[in-house]
Amino acid sequence: MDIKIFLTICVTVFLAELGDKTQLATMLFAADKEVSKWTVFFAASAALVAASAIGVLAGSLLSNYLNPKHLSIMAGIGFILIGSWTLFSAAR
């Protein structure tokens, strides 16, 4: 395992998840006094692992048909579109 790649991915995903809807939803579940915090933690962790697995599988399948450079460009355009939509929605 390449530790530099591992740390880059870990830090990038961690920063992307901070303040995300996923984190906010997890905080709401954890705020319920009747729910075990361990249950919230393990359920949220399992969901993130499953979502990451889907991302890895989709990325590996797409890389068989598309150039990685094109995938990066598509991802960048996707982020710009989502950010623009978010800004437009907030401005209304």
Coordinates of all heavy atoms in Angstrom, one line a residue:
M1 N 0.8 -1.2 0.0 CA 0.0 0.0 0.0 C 0.9 1.2 0.0 O 1.8 1.3 0.8 CB -0.9 0.0 1.2 CG -1.8 1.2 1.3 SD -2.8 1.4 2.8 CE -3.5 -0.1 3.0
D2 N 0.6 2.2 -0.9 CA 1.3 3.4 -0.9 C 0.7 4.4 0.1 O -0.4 4.9 0.0 CB 1.2 4.0 -2.3 CG 2.0 5.3 -2.5 OD1 2.4 5.9 -1.6 OD2 2.3 5.6 -3.7
I3 N 1.5 4.7 1.2 CA 1.0 5.5 2.3 C 0.7 6.9 1.8 O -0.3 7.6 2.3 CB 2.0 5.5 3.5 CG1 1.4 6.1 4.7 CG2 3.3 6.2 3.1 CD1 0.3 5.3 5.3
K4 N 1.4 7.5 0.8 CA 1.2 8.8 0.4 C -0.2 8.9 -0.3 O -1.0 9.8 -0.1 CB 2.3 9.3 -0.6 CG 2.1 10.7 -1.1 CD 3.2 11.1 -2.0 CE 3.0 12.5 -2.5 NZ 4.1 12.9 -3.4
I5 N -0.5 7.9 -1.1 CA -1.8 7.9 -1.8 C -2.9 7.7 -0.8 O -4.0 8.3 -0.8 CB -1.9 6.8 -2.9 CG1 -0.9 7.2 -4.0 CG2 -3.3 6.6 -3.4 CD1 -0.8 6.1 -5.1
F6 N -2.7 6.8 0.2 CA -3.7 6.5 1.3 C -4.0 7.8 2.0 O -5.2 8.1 2.2 CB -3.1 5.4 2.2 CG -4.0 5.2 3.4 CD1 -5.0 4.3 3.3 CD2 -3.8 5.9 4.6 CE1 -5.9 4.1 4.4 CE2 -4.6 5.6 5.7 CZ -5.7 4.7 5.6
L7 N -3.0 8.5 2.5 CA -3.2 9.7 3.2 C -3.9 10.8 2.4 O -4.7 11.5 2.9 CB -1.8 10.3 3.8 CG -1.2 9.4 4.9 CD1 0.1 9.9 5.3 CD2 -2.2 9.4 6.1
T8 N -3.5 10.9 1.1 CA -4.1 11.9 0.2 C -5.6 11.6 0.1 O -6.5 12.5 0.3 CB -3.5 11.9 -1.2 OG1 -2.1 12.2 -1.0 CG2 -4.2 12.9 -2.1
I9 N -6.0 10.4 -0.1 CA -7.4 10.0 -0.2 C -8.1 10.2 1.1 O -9.2 10.8 1.1 CB -7.5 8.6 -0.7 CG1 -7.0 8.4 -2.2 CG2 -9.0 8.1 -0.7 CD1 -6.8 7.0 -2.6
C10 N -7.5 9.8 2.2 CA -8.1 9.9 3.5 C -8.4 11.3 3.9 O -9.5 11.7 4.3 CB -7.2 9.2 4.5 SG -7.9 9.2 6.2
V11 N -7.4 12.2 3.7 CA -7.6 13.6 4.0 C -8.6 14.3 3.1 O -9.5 15.0 3.6 CB -6.2 14.4 4.0 CG1 -6.4 15.9 4.1 CG2 -5.3 13.9 5.1
T12 N -8.6 14.0 1.8 CA -9.5 14.6 0.9 C -10.9 14.2 1.2 O -11.8 15.0 1.3 CB -9.1 14.2 -0.6 OG1 -7.8 14.6 -0.8 CG2 -10.1 14.8 -1.6
V13 N -11.2 12.9 1.4 CA -12.5 12.4 1.7 C -13.0 13.0 3.1 O -14.1 13.4 3.2 CB -12.6 10.9 1.6 CG1 -14.0 10.4 2.1 CG2 -12.4 10.4 0.2
F14 N -12.1 13.0 4.1 CA -12.4 13.5 5.4 C -12.9 15.0 5.3 O -13.9 15.4 5.8 CB -11.3 13.4 6.3 CG -11.5 14.0 7.7 CD1 -12.2 13.3 8.6 CD2 -11.0 15.2 8.0 CE1 -12.5 13.8 9.9 CE2 -11.2 15.8 9.3 CZ -12.0 15.1 10.2
L15 N -12.1 15.8 4.6 CA -12.5 17.2 4.4 C -13.8 17.4 3.6 O -14.6 18.3 4.0 CB -11.3 18.0 3.8 CG -10.0 18.1 4.6 CD1 -8.9 18.8 3.8 CD2 -10.3 18.9 5.9
A16 N -14.0 16.6 2.6 CA -15.2 16.7 1.8 C -16.4 16.3 2.7 O -17.5 16.9 2.4 CB -15.1 15.7 0.6
E17 N -16.3 15.4 3.6 CA -17.4 15.0 4.4 C -17.7 15.9 5.6 O -18.9 15.9 6.1 CB -17.2 13.6 5.0 CG -17.2 12.5 3.9 CD -18.5 12.3 3.3 OE1 -19.6 12.6 3.9 OE2 -18.5 12.0 2.1
L18 N -16.8 16.8 6.0 CA -17.1 17.7 7.1 C -18.2 18.6 6.7 O -18.1 19.3 5.7 CB -15.8 18.5 7.5 CG -14.7 17.7 8.2 CD1 -13.5 18.6 8.5 CD2 -15.3 17.2 9.6
G19 N -19.2 18.7 7.6 CA -20.3 19.6 7.3 C -21.2 19.2 6.2 O -22.1 19.9 5.8
D20 N -21.0 18.0 5.7 CA -21.8 17.4 4.6 C -23.2 17.0 5.2 O -23.4 16.8 6.4 CB -21.1 16.2 4.0 CG -21.7 15.7 2.7 OD1 -22.8 16.2 2.4 OD2 -21.1 14.9 2.1
K21 N -24.2 16.8 4.3 CA -25.5 16.4 4.7 C -25.4 15.0 5.5 O -26.2 14.8 6.4 CB -26.4 16.2 3.5 CG -26.7 17.4 2.7 CD -27.6 17.2 1.5 CE -26.7 16.4 0.5 NZ -27.3 16.2 -0.7
T22 N -24.5 14.2 5.1 CA -24.3 12.9 5.8 C -23.9 13.2 7.3 O -24.5 12.5 8.2 CB -23.2 12.1 5.1 OG1 -23.5 11.9 3.8 CG2 -23.0 10.7 5.8
Q23 N -23.0 14.1 7.5 CA -22.6 14.3 8.9 C -23.7 15.0 9.7 O -23.9 14.7 10.8 CB -21.3 15.2 8.9 CG -20.8 15.4 10.3 CD -19.5 16.3 10.3 OE1 -19.5 17.3 9.6 NE2 -18.6 16.0 11.2
L24 N -24.4 15.9 9.0 CA -25.6 16.5 9.7 C -26.6 15.5 10.1 O -27.2 15.5 11.2 CB -26.1 17.6 8.8 CG -25.2 18.8 8.6 CD1 -25.8 19.8 7.6 CD2 -24.8 19.5 9.9
A25 N -26.9 14.6 9.2 CA -27.9 13.5 9.4 C -27.4 12.6 10.6 O -28.2 12.3 11.5 CB -28.2 12.7 8.2
T26 N -26.2 12.3 10.6 CA -25.6 11.5 11.6 C -25.7 12.2 13.0 O -26.1 11.6 14.0 CB -24.2 11.1 11.3 OG1 -24.1 10.4 10.1 CG2 -23.6 10.2 12.4
M27 N -25.4 13.5 13.0 CA -25.6 14.3 14.2 C -27.0 14.3 14.8 O -27.2 14.2 16.0 CB -25.1 15.7 14.0 CG -23.6 15.8 13.9 SD -22.8 17.4 13.9 CE -23.9 18.3 12.8
L28 N -27.9 14.4 13.8 CA -29.4 14.4 14.2 C -29.7 13.0 14.9 O -30.4 13.0 15.9 CB -30.3 14.7 13.1 CG -30.2 16.1 12.6 CD1 -31.1 16.3 11.3 CD2 -30.8 17.1 13.6
F29 N -29.3 11.9 14.3 CA -29.6 10.6 14.8 C -28.9 10.5 16.2 O -29.5 9.9 17.2 CB -29.1 9.5 13.9 CG -30.0 9.3 12.7 CD1 -29.5 9.4 11.5 CD2 -31.3 8.9 12.9 CE1 -30.3 9.2 10.3 CE2 -32.1 8.6 11.8 CZ -31.6 8.8 10.5
A30 N -27.7 11.0 16.3 CA -27.0 10.9 17.6 C -27.6 11.7 18.7 O -27.4 11.5 19.9 CB -25.5 11.2 17.4
A31 N -28.3 12.8 18.3 CA -28.9 13.7 19.3 C -30.1 13.0 20.0 O -30.5 13.5 21.1 CB -29.3 15.0 18.6
D32 N -30.6 12.0 19.4 CA -31.8 11.3 20.0 C -31.3 10.5 21.3 O -30.4 9.6 21.2 CB -32.4 10.3 19.0 CG -33.7 9.6 19.5 OD1 -33.9 9.7 20.7 OD2 -34.4 9.1 18.6
K33 N -31.8 10.9 22.4 CA -31.3 10.3 23.7 C -31.6 8.8 23.8 O -31.0 8.1 24.6 CB -31.9 11.1 24.8 CG -31.6 12.5 24.8 CD -31.2 13.0 26.2 CE -30.9 14.5 26.3 NZ -29.8 15.0 25.6
E34 N -32.6 8.3 23.0 CA -33.0 6.9 23.1 C -32.3 6.0 22.2 O -32.5 4.8 22.2 CB -34.5 6.8 22.9 CG -35.4 7.6 23.9 CD -36.9 7.5 23.6 OE1 -37.3 6.6 22.8 OE2 -37.6 8.3 24.1
V35 N -31.4 6.6 21.4 CA -30.7 5.8 20.4 C -29.2 5.6 20.9 O -28.6 6.6 21.3 CB -30.7 6.5 19.0 CG1 -29.8 5.7 18.0 CG2 -32.1 6.6 18.5
S36 N -28.7 4.4 20.8 CA -27.3 4.1 21.2 C -26.4 4.9 20.2 O -26.5 4.8 19.0 CB -27.1 2.6 21.1 OG -25.7 2.4 21.2
K37 N -25.4 5.6 20.8 CA -24.5 6.3 20.0 C -23.6 5.3 19.2 O -23.2 5.6 18.1 CB -23.6 7.2 20.9 CG -24.3 8.2 21.7 CD -25.5 8.9 21.1 CE -26.2 9.7 22.0 NZ -27.7 9.6 21.9
W38 N -23.4 4.1 19.8 CA -22.6 3.1 19.1 C -23.4 2.6 17.8 O -22.8 2.4 16.8 CB -22.3 1.9 20.0 CG -21.2 2.3 20.9 CD1 -21.3 2.5 22.3 CD2 -19.8 2.5 20.6 NE1 -20.1 2.8 22.8 CE2 -19.1 2.9 21.8 CE3 -19.1 2.5 19.4 CZ2 -17.8 3.2 21.9 CZ3 -17.7 2.8 19.5 CH2 -17.1 3.1 20.7
T39 N -24.7 2.5 18.0 CA -25.5 2.1 16.8 C -25.4 3.1 15.7 O -25.3 2.8 14.5 CB -27.0 1.9 17.3 OG1 -27.1 0.9 18.3 CG2 -27.9 1.5 16.1
V40 N -25.5 4.4 16.1 CA -25.4 5.5 15.1 C -24.1 5.4 14.4 O -23.9 5.5 13.2 CB -25.7 6.8 15.8 CG1 -25.4 8.0 14.8 CG2 -27.0 6.9 16.3
F41 N -23.0 5.3 15.2 CA -21.7 5.2 14.7 C -21.5 4.1 13.7 O -21.0 4.3 12.6 CB -20.6 5.1 15.8 CG -19.2 4.9 15.3 CD1 -18.5 6.0 14.8 CD2 -18.6 3.7 15.4 CE1 -17.2 5.8 14.3 CE2 -17.3 3.5 14.9 CZ -16.6 4.5 14.4
F42 N -21.9 2.9 14.1 CA -21.6 1.7 13.3 C -22.5 1.7 12.0 O -22.1 1.4 10.9 CB -21.8 0.4 14.0 CG -20.7 0.1 15.0 CD1 -20.9 0.0 16.3 CD2 -19.4 0.0 14.5 CE1 -19.9 -0.2 17.2 CE2 -18.3 -0.3 15.4 CZ -18.6 -0.4 16.7
A43 N -23.8 2.2 12.2 CA -24.7 2.3 11.0 C -24.1 3.3 10.0 O -24.1 3.1 8.8 CB -26.1 2.7 11.4
A44 N -23.7 4.5 10.5 CA -23.2 5.5 9.6 C -21.9 5.1 8.9 O -21.7 5.3 7.7 CB -23.0 6.8 10.4
S45 N -21.1 4.4 9.7 CA -19.8 3.9 9.2 C -20.1 2.8 8.1 O -19.4 2.9 7.0 CB -19.0 3.2 10.3 OG -18.6 4.2 11.2
A46 N -21.0 1.9 8.3 CA -21.4 0.9 7.3 C -21.9 1.6 6.0 O -21.6 1.1 4.9 CB -22.4 -0.1 7.9
A47 N -22.7 2.6 6.2 CA -23.3 3.3 5.0 C -22.2 4.0 4.2 O -22.2 3.9 3.0 CB -24.3 4.4 5.5
L48 N -21.2 4.6 4.9 CA -20.1 5.3 4.2 C -19.2 4.2 3.5 O -18.7 4.5 2.4 CB -19.3 6.1 5.2 CG -20.0 7.4 5.6 CD1 -19.2 8.1 6.7 CD2 -20.3 8.3 4.4
V49 N -19.0 3.1 4.2 CA -18.2 2.0 3.5 C -18.9 1.5 2.3 O -18.3 1.4 1.2 CB -17.9 0.9 4.5 CG1 -17.4 -0.4 3.8 CG2 -17.0 1.3 5.6
A50 N -20.2 1.3 2.3 CA -21.0 0.9 1.2 C -20.9 1.9 0.0 O -20.7 1.5 -1.1 CB -22.4 0.6 1.6
A51 N -21.1 3.2 0.4 CA -21.1 4.2 -0.6 C -19.7 4.3 -1.3 O -19.6 4.5 -2.5 CB -21.5 5.6 0.0
S52 N -18.7 4.2 -0.4 CA -17.3 4.2 -1.0 C -17.0 3.0 -1.9 O -16.4 3.1 -2.9 CB -16.3 4.2 0.2 OG -16.4 5.4 0.9
A53 N -17.6 1.8 -1.5 CA -17.4 0.6 -2.4 C -18.0 0.8 -3.7 O -17.5 0.5 -4.7 CB -18.0 -0.6 -1.7
I54 N -19.2 1.4 -3.7 CA -19.9 1.7 -5.0 C -19.0 2.7 -5.8 O -18.9 2.5 -7.0 CB -21.3 2.3 -4.7 CG1 -22.2 1.2 -4.2 CG2 -21.9 2.9 -6.0 CD1 -23.5 1.8 -3.6
G55 N -18.5 3.7 -5.2 CA -17.6 4.6 -5.9 C -16.4 4.0 -6.5 O -16.0 4.2 -7.6
V56 N -15.8 3.1 -5.7 CA -14.6 2.4 -6.2 C -15.0 1.5 -7.4 O -14.3 1.4 -8.4 CB -13.9 1.6 -5.1 CG1 -12.9 0.6 -5.6 CG2 -13.3 2.5 -4.0
L57 N -16.1 0.7 -7.3 CA -16.5 -0.2 -8.3 C -16.8 0.6 -9.6 O -16.4 0.3 -10.7 CB -17.7 -1.0 -7.9 CG -17.4 -2.1 -6.9 CD1 -18.7 -2.7 -6.4 CD2 -16.4 -3.1 -7.5
A58 N -17.6 1.7 -9.4 CA -18.0 2.5 -10.6 C -16.7 3.1 -11.2 O -16.6 3.1 -12.5 CB -18.9 3.7 -10.1
G59 N -15.8 3.6 -10.4 CA -14.6 4.2 -11.0 C -13.7 3.2 -11.7 O -13.2 3.5 -12.8
S60 N -13.6 2.0 -11.2 CA -12.8 1.0 -11.8 C -13.5 0.5 -13.1 O -12.8 0.2 -14.1 CB -12.6 -0.2 -10.9 OG -13.7 -0.9 -10.6
L61 N -14.8 0.4 -13.1 CA -15.5 0.1 -14.4 C -15.4 1.2 -15.4 O -15.1 0.9 -16.6 CB -17.0 -0.2 -14.1 CG -17.3 -1.5 -13.4 CD1 -18.8 -1.6 -13.1 CD2 -17.0 -2.7 -14.3
L62 N -15.6 2.4 -15.0 CA -15.5 3.5 -16.0 C -14.1 3.7 -16.5 O -13.9 4.0 -17.7 CB -15.9 4.8 -15.3 CG -17.4 5.0 -15.1 CD1 -17.7 6.3 -14.3 CD2 -18.2 5.0 -16.4
S63 N -13.1 3.4 -15.7 CA -11.7 3.5 -16.2 C -11.4 2.5 -17.3 O -10.4 2.7 -18.0 CB -10.7 3.3 -15.0 OG -10.7 2.0 -14.6
N64 N -12.2 1.4 -17.4 CA -12.0 0.5 -18.5 C -12.4 1.1 -19.8 O -12.0 0.6 -20.9 CB -12.8 -0.8 -18.3 CG -12.2 -1.6 -17.1 OD1 -11.0 -1.6 -16.9 ND2 -13.1 -2.3 -16.4
Y65 N -13.3 2.1 -19.8 CA -13.8 2.6 -21.0 C -13.4 4.1 -21.3 O -13.5 4.6 -22.4 CB -15.4 2.5 -21.0 CG -15.9 1.1 -20.8 CD1 -16.3 0.7 -19.6 CD2 -15.8 0.2 -21.9 CE1 -16.7 -0.6 -19.4 CE2 -16.3 -1.1 -21.7 CZ -16.7 -1.5 -20.4 OH -17.1 -2.8 -20.3
L66 N -13.0 4.8 -20.2 CA -12.7 6.2 -20.3 C -11.3 6.5 -19.8 O -10.8 5.8 -18.9 CB -13.7 7.1 -19.5 CG -15.2 7.0 -19.9 CD1 -16.0 7.7 -18.9 CD2 -15.4 7.6 -21.3
N67 N -10.7 7.4 -20.4 CA -9.4 7.9 -20.0 C -9.5 8.5 -18.6 O -10.4 9.3 -18.4 CB -8.9 8.9 -21.0 CG -7.5 9.4 -20.8 OD1 -7.1 9.6 -19.6 ND2 -6.7 9.7 -21.8
P68 N -8.5 8.2 -17.7 CA -8.6 8.8 -16.3 C -8.6 10.3 -16.4 O -9.2 11.0 -15.5 CB -7.4 8.3 -15.6 CG -7.1 7.0 -16.3 CD -7.5 7.2 -17.8
K69 N -7.9 10.9 -17.3 CA -7.9 12.4 -17.5 C -9.4 12.9 -17.7 O -9.8 13.9 -17.2 CB -7.0 12.8 -18.6 CG -6.9 14.3 -18.7 CD -5.9 14.7 -19.8 CE -5.8 16.2 -19.9 NZ -4.8 16.7 -20.8
H70 N -10.1 12.2 -18.6 CA -11.5 12.6 -18.9 C -12.4 12.4 -17.7 O -13.3 13.2 -17.5 CB -12.0 11.8 -20.1 CG -11.3 12.1 -21.4 ND1 -10.8 11.1 -22.2 CD2 -10.9 13.2 -21.9 CE1 -10.2 11.6 -23.3 NE2 -10.2 12.9 -23.1
L71 N -12.1 11.3 -16.9 CA -12.9 11.1 -15.7 C -12.7 12.3 -14.7 O -13.6 12.8 -14.1 CB -12.5 9.8 -15.0 CG -13.0 8.5 -15.6 CD1 -12.4 7.3 -14.9 CD2 -14.5 8.5 -15.6
S72 N -11.4 12.7 -14.6 CA -11.1 13.9 -13.7 C -11.8 15.1 -14.2 O -12.4 15.9 -13.4 CB -9.6 14.1 -13.7 OG -9.0 13.1 -13.0
I73 N -11.8 15.3 -15.5 CA -12.5 16.5 -16.1 C -14.0 16.4 -15.8 O -14.6 17.4 -15.4 CB -12.2 16.6 -17.6 CG1 -10.8 17.0 -17.8 CG2 -13.1 17.7 -18.2 CD1 -10.3 16.9 -19.2
M74 N -14.6 15.2 -16.0 CA -16.0 15.1 -15.8 C -16.3 15.3 -14.3 O -17.4 15.9 -14.0 CB -16.5 13.7 -16.2 CG -16.5 13.5 -17.7 SD -16.8 11.8 -18.3 CE -17.9 11.1 -17.1
A75 N -15.5 14.8 -13.4 CA -15.7 15.0 -12.0 C -15.6 16.5 -11.6 O -16.5 17.0 -10.9 CB -14.7 14.2 -11.2
G76 N -14.7 17.2 -12.2 CA -14.5 18.6 -11.9 C -15.8 19.4 -12.4 O -16.3 20.3 -11.7
I77 N -16.2 19.0 -13.6 CA -17.4 19.7 -14.1 C -18.6 19.4 -13.2 O -19.4 20.3 -13.0 CB -17.7 19.3 -15.6 CG1 -16.6 19.9 -16.5 CG2 -19.1 19.7 -16.1 CD1 -16.6 19.3 -17.9
G78 N -18.7 18.1 -12.8 CA -19.8 17.8 -11.9 C -19.8 18.6 -10.6 O -20.8 19.1 -10.2
F79 N -18.6 18.8 -10.0 CA -18.5 19.5 -8.8 C -18.9 21.0 -9.0 O -19.5 21.6 -8.2 CB -17.1 19.5 -8.2 CG -16.8 18.2 -7.4 CD1 -15.9 17.3 -7.8 CD2 -17.6 18.0 -6.2 CE1 -15.7 16.1 -7.1 CE2 -17.3 16.8 -5.5 CZ -16.4 15.9 -5.9
I80 N -18.5 21.5 -10.2 CA -18.8 22.9 -10.5 C -20.3 23.1 -10.7 O -20.9 24.0 -10.2 CB -18.1 23.4 -11.8 CG1 -16.6 23.5 -11.5 CG2 -18.6 24.7 -12.3 CD1 -15.7 23.7 -12.7
L81 N -20.9 22.1 -11.4 CA -22.4 22.2 -11.5 C -23.1 22.1 -10.2 O -24.1 22.8 -10.0 CB -22.9 21.1 -12.5 CG -22.4 21.2 -14.0 CD1 -22.8 20.0 -14.8 CD2 -23.0 22.5 -14.6
I82 N -22.7 21.2 -9.4 CA -23.4 21.0 -8.1 C -23.2 22.3 -7.2 O -24.1 22.8 -6.6 CB -22.8 19.8 -7.3 CG1 -23.3 18.5 -8.0 CG2 -23.3 19.8 -5.8 CD1 -22.6 17.2 -7.6
G83 N -21.9 22.8 -7.2 CA -21.7 24.1 -6.5 C -22.5 25.2 -7.0 O -23.1 26.0 -6.2
S84 N -22.6 25.3 -8.3 CA -23.4 26.4 -8.9 C -24.9 26.3 -8.6 O -25.5 27.2 -8.2 CB -23.3 26.4 -10.5 OG -21.9 26.6 -10.8
W85 N -25.4 25.0 -8.6 CA -26.8 24.8 -8.3 C -27.0 25.2 -6.8 O -28.0 25.8 -6.5 CB -27.1 23.3 -8.6 CG -28.5 23.0 -8.2 CD1 -29.7 23.3 -8.8 CD2 -29.0 22.3 -7.0 NE1 -30.8 22.9 -8.2 CE2 -30.4 22.2 -7.0 CE3 -28.3 21.7 -6.0 CZ2 -31.1 21.6 -6.0 CZ3 -29.0 21.1 -5.0 CH2 -30.4 21.1 -5.0
T86 N -26.1 24.8 -5.9 CA -26.2 25.1 -4.5 C -26.2 26.6 -4.3 O -27.0 27.1 -3.5 CB -25.0 24.5 -3.7 OG1 -25.1 23.1 -3.9 CG2 -25.1 24.8 -2.2
L87 N -25.3 27.3 -4.9 CA -25.3 28.8 -4.8 C -26.5 29.4 -5.4 O -27.1 30.3 -4.8 CB -24.1 29.4 -5.6 CG -22.7 29.1 -4.9 CD1 -21.6 29.6 -5.8 CD2 -22.6 29.9 -3.6
F88 N -27.0 28.9 -6.5 CA -28.2 29.5 -7.1 C -29.4 29.2 -6.2 O -30.2 30.1 -6.0 CB -28.5 28.8 -8.5 CG -29.7 29.3 -9.2 CD1 -29.8 30.5 -9.7 CD2 -30.8 28.4 -9.2 CE1 -31.0 30.9 -10.3 CE2 -32.0 28.8 -9.8 CZ -32.1 30.1 -10.4
S89 N -29.5 28.0 -5.6 CA -30.6 27.7 -4.7 C -30.6 28.5 -3.5 O -31.6 29.0 -3.0 CB -30.6 26.2 -4.3 OG -30.7 25.4 -5.5
A90 N -29.4 28.8 -2.9 CA -29.3 29.6 -1.7 C -29.6 31.1 -2.0 O -30.1 31.8 -1.1 CB -27.9 29.5 -1.2
A91 N -29.4 31.6 -3.2 CA -29.6 33.0 -3.5 C -31.1 33.3 -3.7 O -31.5 34.4 -3.7 CB -28.8 33.4 -4.8
R92 N -31.9 32.2 -3.9 CA -33.3 32.5 -4.2 C -34.1 32.9 -2.9 O -33.9 32.8 -1.9 CB -34.0 31.2 -4.7 CG -33.7 31.0 -6.2 CD -34.6 30.1 -6.8 NE -34.1 28.7 -6.6 CZ -34.8 27.6 -6.8 NH1 -36.0 27.7 -7.2 NH2 -34.3 26.5 -6.7

